[in-house]
Amino acid sequence: MQFNKPIGKSDLENLLLDSVENDTPEEIKNNLLIDLNNPKAFSFTLTKDNLASFGTNPRALNLSNWFENYQKEAMISTAGIRGLQNPLYPWDTRYPLNLVGVMLATMGKILVAQDHPGDKTKIAACEVRYNSSQYVELIARLQAANQLKTYVTADYLPIPIFLISFLIYMYDLYGGEYITSSHAISKKIATKDLNTQGSQYIPDESMLFVNKVKDLLDIIKNKGSYTFHFSAKDSPLIDQTFLSSIHNGTDLYAQYLRSSVATPTNLSLIHQAQKPILIECMGGSIFATLDPVLNKLGIDQHFQYLHKEIDPFFHRIGKVIDENQHFFDWSCDTTIMQANQKTRSLSVPVVDTVNYSQLLQDYPLGTTLLMTDPDADRLVTTYIDSAESIARCEKLGLAYGRLGEDRILVIFTPNQSFLLTIDFQYRALVRADLWDKYNWFLMKTTASQRSWDEWASAHQIPVINTPVGFKELADSMQQIEKKIQTQPGKDIYLKDVYGQDINLGSNPRLLFAGEESGGEIFGPSDLISSQGGRQAISMREKSAGEAIIITAALSSHLEATGQSLLDYLEQIFNDNHIKSRFEIRIDQKYYNESEPDIKTLLVAKEKGLHVKTQNNSYFLSLALGYRDGILQLDQVKAILAECFPQLNFTDLIDTKFVGDGTYFLFKEKCLEVRPSGTDAVNKAYSYGLDQWECISFAQAISSYEGTRNPLHQQLIPQPFYDQVETYALELYALYKQNQ
């Protein structure tokens, strides 16, 4: 494949790319470090000079600093090693993600693989981001030169991450590499490492790779250089035929769906639907996979697509010119909400950038629009309703967007829509006489809606809560499967991140696993068997494929019964006595990712990282101080009341460290605050009975700069505070060891 510099397809995209062009020095443009257009085998040597910080010598690539950040990310990342890249010159090491860094990280993984016997065949694939296929080819050619076979798609065409994960598991492969950055801004990119289960590596596993990269850098420091070898483009160890021969796995995936959410009943419901189901592809990887899968299921005629053409700029979704006439990228995360305390209104800025008033004008009321993201692992549910439903939306805490004078687009957060699919799947299992044959349970992250726990409690269904990240859910699944194998016929217990031993029964099956950011999967009644005989209770990656099928069936069922999604949500709230009806997630970002000057951006990010760390340490020290008996609960309340006099902490019941953040439980609400990986971002989540109280708490907690107020300093010893983040990592490791 021949790689060319991206060319903008609109004035707005040109504004982004021109700013990158102007910010890139000529010496970087002209110094093509790794030429993947070279069809022959070649070598690339890093020297000691390349490790040095910028400005220290003409050959400095800042790789020692790159490694420090890579190591930090691997220790705490919830979604792969990610960061900004130069979309025009991907070898630019001023950016956190670049071809040289990915080369080093890949070589570390190769060295770990070489330490173990057996077949090492992997998949390398990508979604639609700038330079994605270059990163895939770099990985494949480096692996091939080191005798590792790699399956790739024809011409490195995009494919969803859930399908790659599925194929790794079903074909018992060694693992995979996936280039993505989920729903992040267009300049961002990431490498997600998938293990032999098809799930992302947890930190302990990732550190094996990090240690190998450290060894490589030590060799360069001590011996002066290290040479990396790349195979020819046509190496027989880069296999483009296998995935093509199995239609990229779509036949097998359709077969799997028939065993889980694509039941005869659900397919029949979709067949009976009068209104089309719309899929918002966002220019991502879903269309080329979903369309043939739906065809194999015989329901493709009921679906229509928006923005199905591949586009790394995501058809301008999330992109705006700000008030200063500068380019700004919100990302394509349609779960981002802004809450205006003065007007008591919610807005969804990413959705607002799409011209849905025009795109949806010919579709009738009740039409469902399902929004995916570029790597197709998330789903956001919306539907067209009359403007007369605005009052009900506000009563139930739902956001909406105007589609003209008399119509609106009702927007469900994943927390809200997944509550619908959980209940719908439960009812389907009961009707199919499968519910009483197994011990069904839920899995969720602590940052996800507490309403899911409340619904499960109403039905006496056990719930496993984990830290944030689908890899945490997948790892807990594997712990359960090991116990099923080693303890046949016995009740299976698993410790959740709250420290509770959860009894899953003697024959556990997964009803649902999900997280608030938009990922969900369901488990079939029969265990999933790989070709090599491995068995699993569920797939390992969240999947818009599964989510689309079950949500389409739900939507079709409601259409047939004359109900709306809004009706169903209110019914579930009432039938299950749900307290946590309202919610907010605040993403507190401490720098502007759209800043065109990378030096300015990195300086601002570094300052933001300091604030984020202070915020995290402040709240962690409260939870861990309470855990260790340094603080009493009344003292925690007093510290918080002094720091946040505008908020009421009198009904605080508990506070805990939950693996990657601090959780506060109140009588009628909950709140979690956590740092987002190694980015300069804090996230706060709040759920409860009073929407604007939840919002007030989340806004105040997430934006706090972390200064220790007098009571905090008086009651929490400085030595304890200074080591609280290290202590938290130790406790997380203990949690993983003792599940």
Side-chain angles (χ1 to χ4, degrees):
M1 183 175 184
Q2 190 74 16
F3 299 110
N4 299 304
K5 191 163 69 170
I7 298 174
K9 295 180 287 294
S10 68
D11 290 344
L12 194 58
E13 185 175 16
N14 283 329
L15 189 62
L16 166 66
L17 297 180
D18 288 349
S19 69
V20 174
E21 182 73 37
N22 294 334
D23 181 59
T24 307
E26 290 299 319
E27 57 267 27
I28 289 177
K29 296 177 185 178
N30 298 327
N31 186 24
L32 176 57
L33 296 172
I34 301 173
D35 183 9
L36 292 170
N37 283 329
N38 180 355
K40 299 179 180 180
F42 67 93
S43 298
F44 175 72
T45 299
L46 283 179
T47 68
K48 189 174 181 178
D49 285 345
N50 298 142
L51 306 186
S53 300
F54 291 126
T56 56
N57 72 73
R59 292 171 295 281
L61 296 177
N62 204 41
L63 293 179
S64 290
N65 287 334
W66 168 87
F67 175 72
E68 289 181 14
N69 292 323
Y70 169 66
Q71 185 175 33
K72 291 176 185 176
E73 186 84 19
M75 290 174 66
I76 59 177
S77 172
T78 60
I81 308 302
R82 53 186 167 174
L84 294 169
Q85 66 156 337
N86 186 323
L88 299 178
Y89 305 96
W91 56 86
D92 185 351
T93 59
R94 298 177 306 156
Y95 286 79
L97 261 286
N98 57 78
L99 291 174
V100 179
V102 171
M103 175 190 72
L104 280 164
T106 302
M107 195 66 215
K109 286 171 267 190
I110 290 170
L111 293 172
V112 170
Q114 290 174 343
D115 286 343
H116 299 90
D119 181 67
K120 304 297 190 329
T121 301
K122 300 177 73 173
I123 295 180
C126 62
E127 40 124 318
V128 302
R129 291 176 179 274
Y130 294 117
N131 306 308
S132 293
S133 55
Q134 281 202 62
Y135 288 101
V136 174
E137 181 167 305
L138 179 143
I139 291 166
R141 293 177 72 174
L142 189 60
Q143 290 180 165
N146 287 276
Q147 303 307 304
L148 269 67
K149 187 173 185 176
T150 308
Y151 293 142
V152 297
T153 58
D155 295 323
Y156 303 116
L157 288 173
I159 189 171
I161 188 169
F162 68 78
L163 197 52
I164 292 303
S165 170
F166 173 77
L167 293 173
I168 290 169
Y169 183 84
M170 296 303 290
Y171 284 94
D172 302 292
L173 301 179
Y174 178 73
E177 304 282 343
Y178 192 79
I179 307 301
T180 179
S181 198
S182 193
H183 46 221
I185 69 172
S186 285
K187 278 180 71 175
K188 216 162 193 177
I189 201 160
T191 58
K192 284 189 179 180
D193 313 321
L194 303 177
N195 63 23
T196 186
Q197 291 281 334
S199 64
Q200 297 173 51
Y201 286 95
I202 59 174
D204 279 354
E205 296 170 321
S206 295
M207 290 309 294
L208 296 175
F209 310 142
V210 172
N211 291 336
K212 290 294 186 182
V213 176
K214 183 179 183 300
D215 291 344
L216 288 173
L217 297 184
D218 287 342
I219 291 171
I220 296 171
K221 290 174 186 175
N222 296 326
K223 296 187 176 181
S225 67
Y226 186 93
T227 298
F228 300 81
H229 301 283
F230 293 84
S231 75
K233 279 181 178 283
D234 60 357
S235 168
L237 291 175
I238 302 174
D239 186 336
Q240 295 196 25
T241 61
F242 172 71
L243 291 178
S244 294
S245 72
I246 61 169
H247 306 112
N248 284 345
T250 53
D251 294 344
L252 189 60
Y253 191 69
Q255 180 182 329
Y256 157 72
L257 288 175
R258 288 185 184 276
S259 73
S260 56
V261 294
T263 62
T265 298
N266 283 348
L267 295 179
S268 177
L269 286 170
I270 295 170
H271 272 302
Q272 295 169 24
Q274 299 300 305
K275 300 183 182 75
I277 305 292
L278 303 182
I279 306 298
E280 172 58 84
C281 301
M282 291 199 178
S285 61
I286 187 67
F287 173 71
T289 289
L290 183 63
D291 195 50
V293 167
L294 296 178
N295 179 268
K296 291 172 176 64
L297 295 174
I299 54 175
D300 55 307
Q301 66 272 27
H302 296 282
F303 292 80
Q304 296 179 22
Y305 300 91
L306 302 178
H307 301 121
K308 66 182 183 181
E309 298 81 11
I310 289 171
D311 182 9
F313 200 61
F314 313 138
H315 297 273
R316 302 170 62 114
I317 294 172
K319 319 296 191 285
V320 296
I321 301 296
D322 66 18
E323 63 273 12
N324 298 315
Q325 300 304 301
H326 296 150
F327 172 82
F328 183 79
D329 193 342
W330 277 103
S331 80
C332 54
D333 182 357
T334 53
T335 68
I336 294 174
M337 286 194 180
Q338 287 190 305
N340 188 316
Q341 289 277 10
K342 290 183 179 179
T343 61
R344 291 292 173 105
S345 61
L346 295 174
S347 62
V348 188
V350 174
V351 176
D352 290 343
T353 65
V354 190
N355 187 16
Y356 283 129
S357 294
Q358 181 177 347
L359 291 171
L360 302 179
Q361 63 183 352
D362 295 330
Y363 293 98
L365 294 178
T367 300
T368 298
L369 169 64
L370 304 178
M371 301 176 176
T372 63
D373 65 345
D375 61 356
D377 61 354
R378 289 174 167 84
L379 195 73
V380 171
T381 298
T382 71
Y383 80 100
I384 303 170
D385 204 343
S386 165
E388 295 175 357
S389 294
I390 287 176
R392 285 188 70 204
C393 287
E394 293 174 347
K395 175 187 173 185
L396 293 172
L398 273 76
Y400 61 89
R402 287 277 187 177
L403 298 176
E405 288 295 320
D406 57 352
R407 301 189 344 148
I408 60 173
L409 186 67
V410 181
I411 304 164
F412 291 76
T413 68
N415 281 323
Q416 294 160 338
S417 64
F418 291 178
L419 183 60
L420 306 184
T421 52
I422 292 169
D423 188 85
F424 182 70
Q425 178 73 343
Y426 160 73
R427 293 170 184 268
L429 291 168
V430 171
R431 286 194 302 270
D433 293 325
L434 290 170
W435 186 258
D436 292 332
K437 292 182 180 180
Y438 304 96
N439 305 119
W440 297 89
F441 68 97
L442 264 69
M443 298 181 73
K444 59 181 283 288
T445 58
T446 56
S448 300
Q449 241 294 15
R450 191 170 173 81
S451 63
W452 303 353
D453 301 83
E454 294 170 4
W455 179 92
S457 177
H459 294 274
Q460 298 182 313
I461 299 170
V463 181
I464 298 291
N465 275 276
T466 75
V468 169
F470 224 84
K471 65 183 179 183
E472 295 287 350
L473 297 171
D475 187 60
S476 291
M477 291 176 201
Q478 293 167 56
Q479 300 302 323
I480 294 167
E481 290 156 5
K482 289 175 185 176
K483 294 185 179 188
I484 291 173
Q485 289 183 335
T486 59
Q487 303 171 29
K490 295 182 179 179
D491 282 357
I492 303 300
Y493 286 83
L494 194 76
K495 192 179 293 293
D496 72 3
V497 75
Y498 296 130
Q500 304 171 113
D501 286 314
I502 308 297
N503 186 352
L504 303 177
S506 60
N507 199 11
R509 290 294 186 274
L510 179 69
L511 171 61
F512 163 90
E515 57 181 355
E516 61 79 32
S517 60
E520 66 177 341
I521 51 173
F522 298 85
S525 55
D526 293 330
L527 295 177
I528 303 162
S529 294
S530 73
Q531 289 196 346
R534 296 186 296 175
Q535 291 194 313
I537 58 175
S538 179
M539 285 293 95
R540 309 310 194 193
E541 268 293 336
K542 50 192 176 289
S543 167
E546 286 190 41
I548 284 169
I549 298 297
I550 194 167
T551 310
L554 165 61
S555 174
S556 302
H557 164 72
L558 294 175
E559 178 189 317
T561 58
Q563 291 179 284
S564 70
L565 290 163
L566 204 58
D567 295 332
Y568 191 27
L569 180 65
E570 189 167 21
Q571 176 188 325
I572 292 173
F573 281 169
N574 294 334
D575 289 352
N576 297 280
H577 309 291
I578 301 297
K579 284 187 176 182
S580 300
R581 298 186 174 206
F582 298 103
E583 65 178 87
I584 193 67
R585 185 191 79 215
I586 302 293
D587 298 341
Q588 183 67 44
K589 190 163 287 189
Y590 294 106
Y591 72 111
N592 177 13
E593 282 188 310
S594 298
E595 166 59 51
D597 185 324
I598 187 62
K599 291 182 180 178
T600 301
L601 183 149
L602 292 176
V603 169
K605 180 179 178 180
E606 192 62 33
K607 291 179 180 177
L609 287 170
H610 175 73
V611 177
K612 183 190 79 167
T613 300
Q614 294 293 103
N615 177 288
N616 188 41
S617 295
Y618 182 92
F619 295 111
L620 267 182
S621 57
L622 293 176
L624 296 181
Y626 178 58
R627 174 190 183 275
D628 287 5
I630 295 171
L631 298 173
Q632 300 300 310
L633 187 61
D634 284 345
Q635 291 174 313
V636 174
K637 294 179 184 179
I639 292 170
L640 290 169
E642 180 184 77
C643 190
F644 303 97
Q646 76 277 24
L647 303 177
N648 181 6
F649 293 93
T650 56
D651 62 340
L652 179 66
I653 295 172
D654 196 7
T655 181
K656 290 182 182 293
F657 168 63
V658 287
D660 63 346
T662 304
Y663 188 86
F664 296 97
L665 179 63
F666 297 80
K667 186 177 180 181
E668 292 185 340
K669 65 178 175 291
C670 64
L671 172 76
E672 180 171 342
V673 59
R674 54 177 288 271
S676 180
T678 58
D679 206 353
V681 179
N682 271 330
K683 292 179 181 283
Y685 317 77
S686 188
Y687 310 116
L689 267 176
D690 185 319
Q691 181 175 25
W692 290 95
E693 183 182 43
C694 288
I695 290 170
S696 295
F697 269 76
Q699 287 176 335
I701 297 298
S702 65
S703 63
Y704 186 56
E705 78 280 3
T707 301
R708 301 186 69 195
N709 51 303
L711 267 181
H712 196 285
Q713 295 182 64
Q714 177 186 331
L715 296 173
I716 300 175
Q718 188 68 38
F720 182 83
Y721 173 81
D722 289 341
Q723 53 79 55
V724 72
E725 293 210 5
T726 301
Y727 185 27
L729 289 174
E730 293 170 355
L731 290 175
Y732 169 78
L734 283 174
Y735 154 69
K736 299 305 293 183
Q737 292 170 15
N738 296 323
Q739 274 193 290

